[in-house]
Amino acid sequence: MRLVTYEADRAWRSGILLGDVVVDTARAAAHAAIGDGDWDSNRFVISASAATRESLGRAAAQLCPNALALDGLRLGPPIPDPDKILCMGLNYRDHAAEAGLDLPTVPLFFAKFRNSLIGPGDEIVLPRVSSKIDYEAELAVVIGTRCRDLAAEDALDYVAGAMALNDVSARDLQGQASQWTMGKAIDTFAPCGPALVLRDEISDLQALGIRTRVNGETLQDANTSLMVFGVAEAIAFLTQVMTLEPGDIIATGTPAGVGMARKPRVWLRDGDTVEVQIDEIGTLRNPVRAR
């Protein structure tokens, strides 16, 4: 199943993506006679039982002839209201090498917040205070079940699915202090989507091609097998110190090829188009504009 968030009457609604159409999740729940619930929220859908999600999928397929055309819908971030957005730094060996930094000995995390989230097609807005805005293609996973103190071998059982995320970064602001927040948690600096792909449609989270294109030119091209700390290990590490909630987003780091490491350097400019593509998940495409 692929879940999207789409705009209707100035509010976000949950939808089930089937090819080039979207079935409203609440409508599918009513068609399947599933009990009361906040079916407008993907957070509610991912925390439902597997049997309930299967019923939703069957109902959505039956409703396809009267579904909404994807073309023309404004899609938002698949999880617009997470409790936490946790991002990994230096989690690919080649990226650490190009940055001239040692590999971390434990997973290195920093936070973004809801203000940074935008959906596919939304604009990345360049702030006036920075002239060195960079792209970072990342695989992001979304937690489906509340969890704490997990072992790595059990961690993936608590993952609902995955999506592409662009960890847009203001390198000049990021480098001003030891804490990266001011260069990372900027409005519009966490595009994600295009859909949340549930795990039953993903063969192996650690064997996915991942790439970035800017204006059609491929600048990052790698595979999630090259992570320093795998998804399961990173989740287990986090749950040693915090409870993860359904809808929490964990971005798992970027490979080599970022703009700051290229010669000459490549910074995002007004009018650019950035694409983050991950095998089996899809392509996240966002225009860039000056503020």
Side-chain angles (χ1 to χ4, degrees):
M1 182 182 289
R2 293 173 180 252
L3 299 174
V4 297
T5 296
Y6 73 96
E7 187 178 41
D9 299 325
R10 299 187 178 182
W12 293 125
R13 294 185 63 84
S14 169
I16 300 168
L17 179 63
L18 296 170
D20 58 357
V21 299
V22 174
V23 176
D24 184 82
T25 304
R27 186 164 172 247
H31 185 77
I34 299 174
D36 292 340
D38 181 15
W39 297 109
D40 291 342
S41 169
N42 283 339
R43 288 176 68 183
F44 188 84
V45 178
I46 63 176
S47 60
S49 69
T52 296
R53 291 197 298 270
E54 288 176 9
S55 295
L56 282 174
R58 287 194 297 269
Q62 293 167 4
L63 293 169
C64 256
N66 298 311
L68 301 165
L70 179 61
D71 185 27
L73 287 180
R74 181 194 173 201
L75 299 185
I79 305 291
D81 56 348
D83 186 62
K84 295 180 279 296
I85 306 171
L86 302 165
C87 306
M88 297 182 74
L90 302 178
N91 198 35
Y92 284 76
R93 291 174 176 81
D94 53 1
H95 175 52
E98 71 178 358
L101 298 171
D102 294 335
L103 289 177
T105 56
V106 296
L108 173 63
F109 279 97
F110 58 92
K112 289 200 176 197
F113 308 97
R114 297 179 188 179
N115 63 294
S116 294
L117 290 174
I118 58 173
D122 287 342
E123 294 176 329
I124 299 168
V125 181
L126 306 176
R128 298 188 184 96
V129 294
S130 174
S131 60
K132 297 180 179 179
I133 308 300
D134 209 346
Y135 52 84
E136 291 191 9
E138 306 207 5
L139 172 72
V141 296
V142 175
I143 298 298
T145 306
R146 196 170 196 258
C147 54
R148 181 74 157 85
D149 293 321
L150 295 180
E153 55 265 31
D154 300 323
L156 294 186
D157 293 339
Y158 294 81
V159 172
M163 58 186 178
L165 185 143
N166 188 349
D167 176 21
V168 185
S169 306
R171 297 300 190 191
D172 40 5
L173 302 182
Q174 180 184 352
Q176 287 178 355
S178 60
Q179 299 296 318
W180 295 353
T181 303
M182 291 304 293
K184 294 283 192 174
I186 297 171
D187 290 351
T188 76
F189 272 32
C192 56
L196 174 60
V197 182
L198 300 193
R199 280 195 59 217
D200 59 359
E201 290 199 21
I202 302 173
S203 58
D204 185 351
L205 289 171
Q206 298 299 163
L208 301 174
I210 180 170
R211 56 199 67 85
T212 298
R213 292 186 293 269
V214 177
N215 302 327
E217 180 183 0
T218 300
L219 299 179
Q220 289 183 289
D221 192 354
N223 193 284
T224 59
S225 63
L226 301 175
M227 290 181 186
V228 178
F229 301 101
V231 175
E233 189 176 0
I235 291 171
F237 176 82
L238 283 171
T239 64
Q240 294 175 28
V241 297
M242 68 179 74
T243 299
L244 297 179
E245 302 286 352
D248 282 352
I249 297 170
I250 301 171
T252 57
T254 198
V258 297
M260 72 171 184
R262 304 189 75 86
K263 296 180 180 179
R265 290 181 169 181
V266 175
W267 306 122
L268 296 181
R269 301 298 185 199
D270 183 48
D272 286 348
T273 297
V274 187
E275 296 173 293
V276 173
Q277 183 181 58
I278 302 179
D279 293 349
E280 302 183 29
I281 290 175
T283 300
L284 170 68
R285 183 178 294 105
N286 296 92
V288 179
R289 74 167 176 88
R291 191 166 190 80

